[in-house]
Amino acid sequence: MSVRAAIAILALLAAGAFWAPRAAGEEKPKPEPIAIQVYYSKEDPNWKKAEEAIDAAVRPYADRLTVEKISIDDKEGYAKLREVEKAHKGEQTGEITVVIGSLMLTSKGKRRGVEDKLDELLRRAFDERGNKGRLPADAAAFAREALGRKDLEVTQILDSDTDRVYEVRAGGKTVGWVIDAYRAIHCPICNDAQLLVLTSNEEVPAVKTIKPVRALELYGTPMSKERTDQLLKQFIGRTLKKDAQVDVISGATKTTHAYEQGVVGALERVEQLRGTP
């Protein structure tokens, strides 16, 4: 099974969506449990405390999870870990690794992602749905603040499942466009991506500024301002005719790709509305 397919299945299982057809009055069967793999070494001095934290994190969801602890002290266990790390290329490796579908947490040295994050990830996966769906966004306020003008007329001209497009006018002329871009992320504990994108109305429209509508997160916790700025600045000045390399933020791979899709989609919408060939 591909990593991408594993993400989708994990999301559906966590939401309790895998129900078999049943006759009227028949009890609803339980969904298949979600599998968790824990890779560790018996020689790791931090393993005992980490194991206690893992056991405590999964205990409330014991009927919905299966946990397999795999020692990397033998060749077979180490080979399995290497395959996991290859599938998660670009993410930080660790001395202790926990895998849930395509999600991976690691602990190494002072960086204790497993102990610090697993409990929150499972809680988000099973207990909350507030991280999903489109949120209200004030496109007019965003445009006026970004351009420093209170006299702007901001009118919605397109509404779709992914993009809401607003024309920004001043003095009877179109001066820009705001796109409220929404991209669902198929991961039960990840925030969906929603961002406001302001583009220019030049011959080749370019991204002027971006504002996240949904908070950016790393493993269920708020992303630092430094990381947020690192992600957003890659898209400023972007045009459809300007080839750009986007560096993935470690721990926010799906979010980075969703933002890139949102920005490219926003520029495509503007070009279509302007009738650009």
Side-chain angles (χ1 to χ4, degrees):
M1 180 184 296
S2 70
V3 173
R4 187 178 297 276
I7 299 174
I9 291 174
L10 173 60
L12 289 169
L13 288 174
F18 270 36
W19 305 110
R22 63 187 188 282
E26 185 179 341
E27 288 188 11
K28 183 185 292 185
K30 291 183 179 180
E32 291 295 322
I34 295 173
I36 296 179
Q37 293 84 40
V38 180
Y39 295 89
Y40 72 97
S41 170
K42 298 174 184 176
E43 305 299 321
D44 184 350
N46 294 307
W47 167 239
K48 185 175 181 179
K49 286 187 176 180
E51 184 179 29
E52 292 174 355
I54 292 168
D55 291 345
V58 303
R59 191 173 296 121
Y61 317 104
D63 61 335
R64 290 179 279 180
L65 297 169
T66 61
V67 181
E68 181 183 10
K69 296 176 182 177
I70 303 168
S71 172
I72 61 173
D73 296 325
D74 57 64
K75 290 183 179 180
E76 184 178 355
Y78 184 74
K80 288 181 179 179
L81 175 62
R82 291 294 297 143
E83 287 302 312
V84 166
E85 291 176 340
K86 287 179 183 178
H88 292 79
K89 185 178 180 181
E91 297 190 34
Q92 292 177 314
T93 58
E95 295 156 346
I96 299 171
T97 300
V98 172
V99 178
I100 315 172
S102 76
L103 308 176
M104 185 172 80
L105 290 176
T106 61
S107 289
K108 184 176 183 179
K110 294 182 178 180
R111 173 172 54 82
R112 312 307 302 177
V114 172
E115 297 94 314
D116 294 341
K117 307 293 186 184
L118 181 60
D119 180 75
E120 174 67 11
L121 290 187
L122 293 177
R123 185 178 66 81
R124 287 282 293 271
F126 290 109
D127 296 343
E128 294 187 3
R129 289 295 174 263
N131 56 323
K132 296 299 181 183
R134 183 189 281 278
L135 294 175
D138 193 335
F142 169 64
R144 289 164 185 154
E145 179 181 0
L147 296 176
R149 297 183 61 169
K150 296 182 179 180
D151 62 333
L152 299 177
E153 297 177 11
V154 182
T155 306
Q156 183 174 352
I157 59 173
L158 185 145
D159 190 356
S160 75
D161 291 339
T162 55
D163 301 318
R164 292 174 178 170
V165 182
Y166 300 80
E167 185 177 14
V168 182
R169 296 174 63 84
K173 295 182 179 179
T174 302
V175 296
W177 306 82
V178 172
I179 298 84
D180 177 358
Y182 169 75
R183 297 295 184 275
I185 295 180
H186 299 293
C187 155
I189 53 83
C190 304
N191 271 359
D192 283 344
Q194 186 178 351
L195 53 150
L196 289 171
V197 182
L198 174 66
T199 77
S200 64
N201 191 41
E202 300 164 334
E203 182 178 352
V204 179
V207 175
K208 296 180 70 67
T209 188
I210 295 174
K211 179 181 179 180
V213 177
R214 275 202 173 277
L216 293 167
E217 294 185 335
L218 289 173
Y219 301 122
T221 57
M223 187 183 293
S224 69
K225 184 179 184 304
E226 180 182 8
R227 286 286 186 87
T228 299
D229 291 344
Q230 179 184 350
L231 172 63
L232 298 183
K233 73 179 183 181
Q234 298 183 84
F235 302 112
I236 306 303
R238 181 77 174 267
T239 72
L240 288 179
K241 296 184 179 180
K242 185 177 180 181
D243 193 20
Q245 177 67 41
V246 176
D247 294 326
V248 172
I249 302 294
S250 179
T253 303
K254 288 177 282 296
T255 299
T256 303
H257 291 321
Y259 261 63
E260 183 172 25
Q261 292 167 6
V263 168
V264 172
L267 290 168
E268 288 175 342
R269 292 285 191 189
V270 171
E271 295 250 1
Q272 291 166 5
L273 290 166
R274 296 170 75 247
T276 304

mmCIF file of all heavy atoms in Angstrom, residues 170-216:
data_model
loop_
_atom_site.group_PDB
_atom_site.id
_atom_site.type_symbol
_atom_site.label_atom_id
_atom_site.label_comp_id
_atom_site.label_asym_id
_atom_site.label_seq_id
_atom_site.Cartn_x
_atom_site.Cartn_y
_atom_site.Cartn_z
ATOM 1 N N ALA A 170 -10.477 50.197 -6.671
ATOM 2 C CA ALA A 170 -10.292 51.537 -6.099
ATOM 3 C C ALA A 170 -10.356 52.537 -7.247
ATOM 4 O O ALA A 170 -9.709 52.347 -8.279
ATOM 5 C CB ALA A 170 -8.953 51.644 -5.375
ATOM 6 N N GLY A 171 -11.165 53.581 -7.064
ATOM 7 C CA GLY A 171 -11.298 54.590 -8.116
ATOM 8 C C GLY A 171 -11.820 54.032 -9.412
ATOM 9 O O GLY A 171 -11.451 54.502 -10.502
ATOM 10 N N GLY A 172 -12.660 53.013 -9.328
ATOM 11 C CA GLY A 172 -13.250 52.435 -10.531
ATOM 12 C C GLY A 172 -12.346 51.455 -11.255
ATOM 13 O O GLY A 172 -12.711 50.951 -12.320
ATOM 14 N N LYS A 173 -11.165 51.161 -10.704
ATOM 15 C CA LYS A 173 -10.229 50.247 -11.361
ATOM 16 C C LYS A 173 -9.929 49.045 -10.455
ATOM 17 O O LYS A 173 -9.896 49.172 -9.243
ATOM 18 C CB LYS A 173 -8.917 50.967 -11.692
ATOM 19 C CG LYS A 173 -9.056 52.088 -12.709
ATOM 20 C CD LYS A 173 -7.699 52.707 -12.997
ATOM 21 C CE LYS A 173 -7.819 53.831 -14.031
ATOM 22 N NZ LYS A 173 -6.495 54.455 -14.310
ATOM 23 N N THR A 174 -9.690 47.907 -11.104
ATOM 24 C CA THR A 174 -9.294 46.711 -10.360
ATOM 25 C C THR A 174 -7.816 46.832 -9.982
ATOM 26 O O THR A 174 -6.956 46.977 -10.856
ATOM 27 C CB THR A 174 -9.506 45.439 -11.192
ATOM 28 O OG1 THR A 174 -10.889 45.356 -11.569
ATOM 29 C CG2 THR A 174 -9.125 44.203 -10.401
ATOM 30 N N VAL A 175 -7.540 46.785 -8.678
ATOM 31 C CA VAL A 175 -6.156 46.934 -8.223
ATOM 32 C C VAL A 175 -5.578 45.623 -7.691
ATOM 33 O O VAL A 175 -4.380 45.533 -7.409
ATOM 34 C CB VAL A 175 -6.055 48.021 -7.125
ATOM 35 C CG1 VAL A 175 -6.436 49.379 -7.692
ATOM 36 C CG2 VAL A 175 -6.927 47.673 -5.918
ATOM 37 N N GLY A 176 -6.432 44.631 -7.552
ATOM 38 C CA GLY A 176 -5.935 43.359 -7.058
ATOM 39 C C GLY A 176 -7.050 42.352 -6.877
ATOM 40 O O GLY A 176 -8.222 42.624 -7.187
ATOM 41 N N TRP A 177 -6.669 41.190 -6.374
ATOM 42 C CA TRP A 177 -7.631 40.102 -6.157
ATOM 43 C C TRP A 177 -7.298 39.428 -4.833
ATOM 44 O O TRP A 177 -6.133 39.256 -4.478
ATOM 45 C CB TRP A 177 -7.536 39.061 -7.276
ATOM 46 C CG TRP A 177 -7.681 39.643 -8.649
ATOM 47 C CD1 TRP A 177 -6.713 40.255 -9.390
ATOM 48 C CD2 TRP A 177 -8.871 39.682 -9.437
ATOM 49 N NE1 TRP A 177 -7.205 40.668 -10.600
ATOM 50 C CE2 TRP A 177 -8.539 40.319 -10.663
ATOM 51 C CE3 TRP A 177 -10.169 39.235 -9.255
ATOM 52 C CZ2 TRP A 177 -9.462 40.524 -11.670
ATOM 53 C CZ3 TRP A 177 -11.099 39.415 -10.258
ATOM 54 C CH2 TRP A 177 -10.743 40.059 -11.451
ATOM 55 N N VAL A 178 -8.334 39.045 -4.107
ATOM 56 C CA VAL A 178 -8.144 38.243 -2.898
ATOM 57 C C VAL A 178 -8.781 36.875 -3.146
ATOM 58 O O VAL A 178 -9.918 36.791 -3.594
ATOM 59 C CB VAL A 178 -8.790 38.881 -1.656
ATOM 60 C CG1 VAL A 178 -8.742 37.911 -0.462
ATOM 61 C CG2 VAL A 178 -8.076 40.174 -1.293
ATOM 62 N N ILE A 179 -8.018 35.846 -2.859
ATOM 63 C CA ILE A 179 -8.537 34.482 -2.984
ATOM 64 C C ILE A 179 -8.505 33.839 -1.602
ATOM 65 O O ILE A 179 -7.459 33.763 -0.957
ATOM 66 C CB ILE A 179 -7.709 33.633 -3.970
ATOM 67 C CG1 ILE A 179 -7.760 34.238 -5.371
ATOM 68 C CG2 ILE A 179 -8.238 32.198 -4.016
ATOM 69 C CD1 ILE A 179 -6.756 35.333 -5.621
ATOM 70 N N ASP A 180 -9.684 33.422 -1.152
ATOM 71 C CA ASP A 180 -9.807 32.649 0.080
ATOM 72 C C ASP A 180 -9.679 31.188 -0.337
ATOM 73 O O ASP A 180 -10.639 30.567 -0.792
ATOM 74 C CB ASP A 180 -11.167 32.931 0.726
ATOM 75 C CG ASP A 180 -11.427 32.105 1.980
ATOM 76 O OD1 ASP A 180 -10.571 31.272 2.340
ATOM 77 O OD2 ASP A 180 -12.500 32.275 2.589
ATOM 78 N N ALA A 181 -8.458 30.660 -0.223
ATOM 79 C CA ALA A 181 -8.150 29.321 -0.740
ATOM 80 C C ALA A 181 -8.245 28.283 0.366
ATOM 81 O O ALA A 181 -7.624 28.433 1.423
ATOM 82 C CB ALA A 181 -6.758 29.306 -1.355
ATOM 83 N N TYR A 182 -9.000 27.234 0.113
ATOM 84 C CA TYR A 182 -9.158 26.148 1.085
ATOM 85 C C TYR A 182 -8.723 24.834 0.452
ATOM 86 O O TYR A 182 -9.144 24.491 -0.646
ATOM 87 C CB TYR A 182 -10.621 26.059 1.542
ATOM 88 C CG TYR A 182 -10.924 24.812 2.344
ATOM 89 C CD1 TYR A 182 -10.507 24.686 3.661
ATOM 90 C CD2 TYR A 182 -11.617 23.739 1.771
ATOM 91 C CE1 TYR A 182 -10.767 23.532 4.388
ATOM 92 C CE2 TYR A 182 -11.891 22.590 2.490
ATOM 93 C CZ TYR A 182 -11.454 22.489 3.800
ATOM 94 O OH TYR A 182 -11.705 21.359 4.515
ATOM 95 N N ARG A 183 -7.869 24.105 1.152
ATOM 96 C CA ARG A 183 -7.431 22.798 0.693
ATOM 97 C C ARG A 183 -7.507 21.809 1.848
ATOM 98 O O ARG A 183 -6.856 21.987 2.877
ATOM 99 C CB ARG A 183 -5.987 22.851 0.152
ATOM 100 C CG ARG A 183 -5.786 23.747 -1.077
ATOM 101 C CD ARG A 183 -6.535 23.227 -2.286
ATOM 102 N NE ARG A 183 -6.294 23.998 -3.492
ATOM 103 C CZ ARG A 183 -6.959 25.105 -3.828
ATOM 104 N NH1 ARG A 183 -7.907 25.589 -3.027
ATOM 105 N NH2 ARG A 183 -6.689 25.740 -4.952
ATOM 106 N N ALA A 184 -8.337 20.776 1.690
ATOM 107 C CA ALA A 184 -8.453 19.748 2.716
ATOM 108 C C ALA A 184 -7.181 18.910 2.743
ATOM 109 O O ALA A 184 -6.586 18.629 1.691
ATOM 110 C CB ALA A 184 -9.664 18.857 2.436
ATOM 111 N N ILE A 185 -6.757 18.543 3.935
ATOM 112 C CA ILE A 185 -5.576 17.694 4.099
ATOM 113 C C ILE A 185 -6.045 16.363 4.668
ATOM 114 O O ILE A 185 -6.685 16.315 5.716
ATOM 115 C CB ILE A 185 -4.537 18.348 5.029
ATOM 116 C CG1 ILE A 185 -3.998 19.635 4.382
ATOM 117 C CG2 ILE A 185 -3.392 17.389 5.326
ATOM 118 C CD1 ILE A 185 -2.976 20.358 5.209
ATOM 119 N N HIS A 186 -5.725 15.280 3.973
ATOM 120 C CA HIS A 186 -6.221 13.962 4.364
ATOM 121 C C HIS A 186 -5.346 13.363 5.461
ATOM 122 O O HIS A 186 -4.531 12.470 5.237
ATOM 123 C CB HIS A 186 -6.281 13.047 3.139
ATOM 124 C CG HIS A 186 -7.194 13.548 2.086
ATOM 125 N ND1 HIS A 186 -8.562 13.623 2.263
ATOM 126 C CD2 HIS A 186 -6.958 14.050 0.851
ATOM 127 C CE1 HIS A 186 -9.128 14.123 1.189
ATOM 128 N NE2 HIS A 186 -8.181 14.399 0.316
ATOM 129 N N CYS A 187 -5.548 13.891 6.630
ATOM 130 C CA CYS A 187 -4.817 13.465 7.826
ATOM 131 C C CYS A 187 -5.683 13.866 9.008
ATOM 132 O O CYS A 187 -6.038 15.042 9.127
ATOM 133 C CB CYS A 187 -3.450 14.159 7.875
ATOM 134 S SG CYS A 187 -2.753 14.322 9.527
ATOM 135 N N PRO A 188 -6.089 12.922 9.871
ATOM 136 C CA PRO A 188 -7.082 13.239 10.897
ATOM 137 C C PRO A 188 -6.621 14.230 11.948
ATOM 138 O O PRO A 188 -7.442 14.904 12.546
ATOM 139 C CB PRO A 188 -7.374 11.870 11.528
ATOM 140 C CG PRO A 188 -6.157 11.050 11.242
ATOM 141 C CD PRO A 188 -5.674 11.509 9.914
ATOM 142 N N ILE A 189 -5.323 14.354 12.165
ATOM 143 C CA ILE A 189 -4.866 15.249 13.227
ATOM 144 C C ILE A 189 -4.290 16.550 12.679
ATOM 145 O O ILE A 189 -3.868 17.412 13.440
ATOM 146 C CB ILE A 189 -3.836 14.549 14.146
ATOM 147 C CG1 ILE A 189 -2.672 13.950 13.343
ATOM 148 C CG2 ILE A 189 -4.524 13.459 14.943
ATOM 149 C CD1 ILE A 189 -1.584 14.856 12.981
ATOM 150 N N CYS A 190 -4.266 16.692 11.361
ATOM 151 C CA CYS A 190 -3.696 17.895 10.750
ATOM 152 C C CYS A 190 -4.780 18.947 10.516
ATOM 153 O O CYS A 190 -5.896 18.613 10.120
ATOM 154 C CB CYS A 190 -3.055 17.571 9.398
ATOM 155 S SG CYS A 190 -1.796 16.287 9.461
ATOM 156 N N ASN A 191 -4.440 20.209 10.744
ATOM 157 C CA ASN A 191 -5.325 21.287 10.328
ATOM 158 C C ASN A 191 -5.445 21.285 8.811
ATOM 159 O O ASN A 191 -4.443 21.133 8.104
ATOM 160 C CB ASN A 191 -4.758 22.643 10.759
ATOM 161 C CG ASN A 191 -5.214 23.051 12.141
ATOM 162 O OD1 ASN A 191 -5.969 22.343 12.795
ATOM 163 N ND2 ASN A 191 -4.752 24.188 12.597
ATOM 164 N N ASP A 192 -6.673 21.456 8.302
ATOM 165 C CA ASP A 192 -6.804 21.733 6.875
ATOM 166 C C ASP A 192 -6.099 23.051 6.576
ATOM 167 O O ASP A 192 -5.881 23.867 7.472
ATOM 168 C CB ASP A 192 -8.280 21.843 6.483
ATOM 169 C CG ASP A 192 -8.955 20.484 6.379
ATOM 170 O OD1 ASP A 192 -8.249 19.472 6.306
ATOM 171 O OD2 ASP A 192 -10.200 20.444 6.361
ATOM 172 N N ALA A 193 -5.740 23.251 5.313
ATOM 173 C CA ALA A 193 -5.072 24.490 4.908
ATOM 174 C C ALA A 193 -6.102 25.488 4.399
ATOM 175 O O ALA A 193 -6.913 25.158 3.528
ATOM 176 C CB ALA A 193 -4.034 24.219 3.829
ATOM 177 N N GLN A 194 -6.099 26.679 4.965
ATOM 178 C CA GLN A 194 -6.941 27.763 4.463
ATOM 179 C C GLN A 194 -6.141 29.048 4.575
ATOM 180 O O GLN A 194 -5.619 29.378 5.646
ATOM 181 C CB GLN A 194 -8.248 27.871 5.245
ATOM 182 C CG GLN A 194 -9.212 28.903 4.638
ATOM 183 C CD GLN A 194 -10.534 28.971 5.379
ATOM 184 O OE1 GLN A 194 -10.810 28.147 6.242
ATOM 185 N NE2 GLN A 194 -11.341 29.967 5.059
ATOM 186 N N LEU A 195 -6.044 29.787 3.480
ATOM 187 C CA LEU A 195 -5.215 30.977 3.432
ATOM 188 C C LEU A 195 -5.855 32.044 2.566
ATOM 189 O O LEU A 195 -6.588 31.742 1.624
ATOM 190 C CB LEU A 195 -3.825 30.628 2.877
ATOM 191 C CG LEU A 195 -3.802 29.889 1.522
ATOM 192 C CD1 LEU A 195 -2.529 30.247 0.744
ATOM 193 C CD2 LEU A 195 -3.845 28.371 1.741
ATOM 194 N N LEU A 196 -5.614 33.296 2.924
ATOM 195 C CA LEU A 196 -6.016 34.426 2.099
ATOM 196 C C LEU A 196 -4.806 34.856 1.280
ATOM 197 O O LEU A 196 -3.726 35.092 1.829
ATOM 198 C CB LEU A 196 -6.507 35.578 2.966
ATOM 199 C CG LEU A 196 -7.856 35.373 3.661
ATOM 200 C CD1 LEU A 196 -8.103 36.492 4.663
ATOM 201 C CD2 LEU A 196 -8.993 35.302 2.649
ATOM 202 N N VAL A 197 -4.995 34.945 -0.028
ATOM 203 C CA VAL A 197 -3.915 35.318 -0.944
ATOM 204 C C VAL A 197 -4.299 36.605 -1.652
ATOM 205 O O VAL A 197 -5.363 36.677 -2.279
ATOM 206 C CB VAL A 197 -3.664 34.207 -1.992
ATOM 207 C CG1 VAL A 197 -2.499 34.589 -2.905
ATOM 208 C CG2 VAL A 197 -3.413 32.871 -1.316
ATOM 209 N N LEU A 198 -3.455 37.622 -1.560
ATOM 210 C CA LEU A 198 -3.672 38.866 -2.288
ATOM 211 C C LEU A 198 -2.722 38.906 -3.475
ATOM 212 O O LEU A 198 -1.506 38.783 -3.311
ATOM 213 C CB LEU A 198 -3.415 40.072 -1.381
ATOM 214 C CG LEU A 198 -3.478 41.447 -2.068
ATOM 215 C CD1 LEU A 198 -4.895 41.754 -2.552
ATOM 216 C CD2 LEU A 198 -2.985 42.541 -1.123
ATOM 217 N N THR A 199 -3.293 39.061 -4.682
ATOM 218 C CA THR A 199 -2.460 39.174 -5.873
ATOM 219 C C THR A 199 -2.614 40.567 -6.478
ATOM 220 O O THR A 199 -3.606 41.260 -6.239
ATOM 221 C CB THR A 199 -2.847 38.136 -6.945
ATOM 222 O OG1 THR A 199 -4.039 38.552 -7.619
ATOM 223 C CG2 THR A 199 -3.059 36.764 -6.329
ATOM 224 N N SER A 200 -1.642 40.922 -7.276
ATOM 225 C CA SER A 200 -1.716 42.181 -8.014
ATOM 226 C C SER A 200 -2.606 41.993 -9.236
ATOM 227 O O SER A 200 -3.039 40.879 -9.544
ATOM 228 C CB SER A 200 -0.306 42.589 -8.468
ATOM 229 O OG SER A 200 0.209 41.624 -9.387
ATOM 230 N N ASN A 201 -2.869 43.090 -9.947
ATOM 231 C CA ASN A 201 -3.627 43.013 -11.198
ATOM 232 C C ASN A 201 -2.762 43.509 -12.348
ATOM 233 O O ASN A 201 -3.228 44.179 -13.259
ATOM 234 C CB ASN A 201 -4.916 43.841 -11.105
ATOM 235 C CG ASN A 201 -5.854 43.572 -12.279
ATOM 236 O OD1 ASN A 201 -6.005 42.430 -12.700
ATOM 237 N ND2 ASN A 201 -6.483 44.614 -12.809
ATOM 238 N N GLU A 202 -1.498 43.177 -12.290
ATOM 239 C CA GLU A 202 -0.565 43.567 -13.342
ATOM 240 C C GLU A 202 -0.720 42.639 -14.542
ATOM 241 O O GLU A 202 -1.523 41.696 -14.517
ATOM 242 C CB GLU A 202 0.860 43.517 -12.792
ATOM 243 C CG GLU A 202 1.086 44.435 -11.606
ATOM 244 C CD GLU A 202 2.358 44.106 -10.845
ATOM 245 O OE1 GLU A 202 2.801 42.953 -10.894
ATOM 246 O OE2 GLU A 202 2.885 45.012 -10.190
ATOM 247 N N GLU A 203 0.056 42.898 -15.579
ATOM 248 C CA GLU A 203 -0.002 42.054 -16.774
ATOM 249 C C GLU A 203 0.246 40.600 -16.420
ATOM 250 O O GLU A 203 -0.395 39.690 -16.951
ATOM 251 C CB GLU A 203 1.037 42.530 -17.803
ATOM 252 C CG GLU A 203 1.009 41.723 -19.091
ATOM 253 C CD GLU A 203 2.008 42.237 -20.107
ATOM 254 O OE1 GLU A 203 2.608 43.304 -19.867
ATOM 255 O OE2 GLU A 203 2.200 41.565 -21.125
ATOM 256 N N VAL A 204 1.195 40.388 -15.508
ATOM 257 C CA VAL A 204 1.436 39.048 -14.961
ATOM 258 C C VAL A 204 1.155 39.125 -13.462
ATOM 259 O O VAL A 204 1.999 39.587 -12.694
ATOM 260 C CB VAL A 204 2.886 38.579 -15.210
ATOM 261 C CG1 VAL A 204 3.100 37.185 -14.609
ATOM 262 C CG2 VAL A 204 3.206 38.582 -16.703
ATOM 263 N N PRO A 205 -0.031 38.708 -13.016
ATOM 264 C CA PRO A 205 -0.381 38.818 -11.595
ATOM 265 C C PRO A 205 0.611 38.076 -10.707
ATOM 266 O O PRO A 205 1.034 36.962 -11.019
ATOM 267 C CB PRO A 205 -1.771 38.172 -11.527
ATOM 268 C CG PRO A 205 -2.318 38.309 -12.904
ATOM 269 C CD PRO A 205 -1.144 38.164 -13.817
ATOM 270 N N ALA A 206 0.963 38.714 -9.591
ATOM 271 C CA ALA A 206 1.914 38.121 -8.649
ATOM 272 C C ALA A 206 1.329 38.151 -7.239
ATOM 273 O O ALA A 206 0.487 38.998 -6.920
ATOM 274 C CB ALA A 206 3.236 38.889 -8.681
ATOM 275 N N VAL A 207 1.774 37.228 -6.420
ATOM 276 C CA VAL A 207 1.334 37.179 -5.029
ATOM 277 C C VAL A 207 1.986 38.322 -4.254
ATOM 278 O O VAL A 207 3.210 38.462 -4.245
ATOM 279 C CB VAL A 207 1.705 35.827 -4.381
ATOM 280 C CG1 VAL A 207 1.354 35.830 -2.898
ATOM 281 C CG2 VAL A 207 0.987 34.690 -5.095
ATOM 282 N N LYS A 208 1.155 39.150 -3.599
ATOM 283 C CA LYS A 208 1.674 40.275 -2.828
ATOM 284 C C LYS A 208 1.827 39.914 -1.343
ATOM 285 O O LYS A 208 2.796 40.299 -0.699
ATOM 286 C CB LYS A 208 0.761 41.501 -2.974
ATOM 287 C CG LYS A 208 0.692 42.025 -4.393
ATOM 288 C CD LYS A 208 -0.213 43.228 -4.507
ATOM 289 C CE LYS A 208 0.366 44.463 -3.838
ATOM 290 N NZ LYS A 208 1.576 44.957 -4.515
ATOM 291 N N THR A 209 0.853 39.206 -0.801
ATOM 292 C CA THR A 209 0.949 38.804 0.602
ATOM 293 C C THR A 209 -0.006 37.644 0.859
ATOM 294 O O THR A 209 -0.942 37.404 0.084
ATOM 295 C CB THR A 209 0.629 39.980 1.550
ATOM 296 O OG1 THR A 209 0.911 39.585 2.901
ATOM 297 C CG2 THR A 209 -0.826 40.387 1.454
ATOM 298 N N ILE A 210 0.249 36.931 1.943
ATOM 299 C CA ILE A 210 -0.547 35.765 2.320
ATOM 300 C C ILE A 210 -0.834 35.829 3.813
ATOM 301 O O ILE A 210 0.028 36.232 4.603
ATOM 302 C CB ILE A 210 0.202 34.445 2.016
ATOM 303 C CG1 ILE A 210 0.401 34.275 0.516
ATOM 304 C CG2 ILE A 210 -0.548 33.240 2.577
ATOM 305 C CD1 ILE A 210 1.255 33.071 0.162
ATOM 306 N N LYS A 211 -2.043 35.429 4.181
ATOM 307 C CA LYS A 211 -2.395 35.356 5.600
ATOM 308 C C LYS A 211 -3.076 34.014 5.881
ATOM 309 O O LYS A 211 -4.090 33.690 5.259
ATOM 310 C CB LYS A 211 -3.357 36.494 5.968
ATOM 311 C CG LYS A 211 -3.791 36.478 7.431
ATOM 312 C CD LYS A 211 -4.755 37.615 7.732
ATOM 313 C CE LYS A 211 -5.207 37.599 9.180
ATOM 314 N NZ LYS A 211 -6.144 38.717 9.476
ATOM 315 N N PRO A 212 -2.525 33.213 6.805
ATOM 316 C CA PRO A 212 -3.196 31.960 7.158
ATOM 317 C C PRO A 212 -4.542 32.241 7.828
ATOM 318 O O PRO A 212 -4.649 33.132 8.674
ATOM 319 C CB PRO A 212 -2.231 31.295 8.143
ATOM 320 C CG PRO A 212 -0.904 31.965 7.904
ATOM 321 C CD PRO A 212 -1.239 33.368 7.496
ATOM 322 N N VAL A 213 -5.572 31.499 7.435
ATOM 323 C CA VAL A 213 -6.868 31.573 8.104
ATOM 324 C C VAL A 213 -6.919 30.511 9.196
ATOM 325 O O VAL A 213 -7.285 30.789 10.324
ATOM 326 C CB VAL A 213 -8.023 31.374 7.104
ATOM 327 C CG1 VAL A 213 -9.369 31.368 7.831
ATOM 328 C CG2 VAL A 213 -7.984 32.472 6.043
ATOM 329 N N ARG A 214 -6.533 29.303 8.842
ATOM 330 C CA ARG A 214 -6.366 28.254 9.845
ATOM 331 C C ARG A 214 -4.930 28.297 10.356
ATOM 332 O O ARG A 214 -3.995 28.454 9.583
ATOM 333 C CB ARG A 214 -6.654 26.873 9.249
ATOM 334 C CG ARG A 214 -8.125 26.521 9.266
ATOM 335 C CD ARG A 214 -8.322 25.017 9.182
ATOM 336 N NE ARG A 214 -9.716 24.673 9.373
ATOM 337 C CZ ARG A 214 -10.294 24.544 10.550
ATOM 338 N NH1 ARG A 214 -9.601 24.737 11.655
ATOM 339 N NH2 ARG A 214 -11.564 24.226 10.641
ATOM 340 N N ALA A 215 -4.774 28.149 11.652
ATOM 341 C CA ALA A 215 -3.443 28.212 12.251
ATOM 342 C C ALA A 215 -2.538 27.134 11.663
ATOM 343 O O ALA A 215 -2.968 25.999 11.430
ATOM 344 C CB ALA A 215 -3.547 28.044 13.768
ATOM 345 N N LEU A 216 -1.294 27.501 11.413
ATOM 346 C CA LEU A 216 -0.305 26.538 10.950
ATOM 347 C C LEU A 216 0.228 25.771 12.154
ATOM 348 O O LEU A 216 0.505 26.351 13.206
ATOM 349 C CB LEU A 216 0.834 27.252 10.233
ATOM 350 C CG LEU A 216 0.454 27.911 8.909
ATOM 351 C CD1 LEU A 216 1.538 28.842 8.432
ATOM 352 C CD2 LEU A 216 0.165 26.859 7.862
#
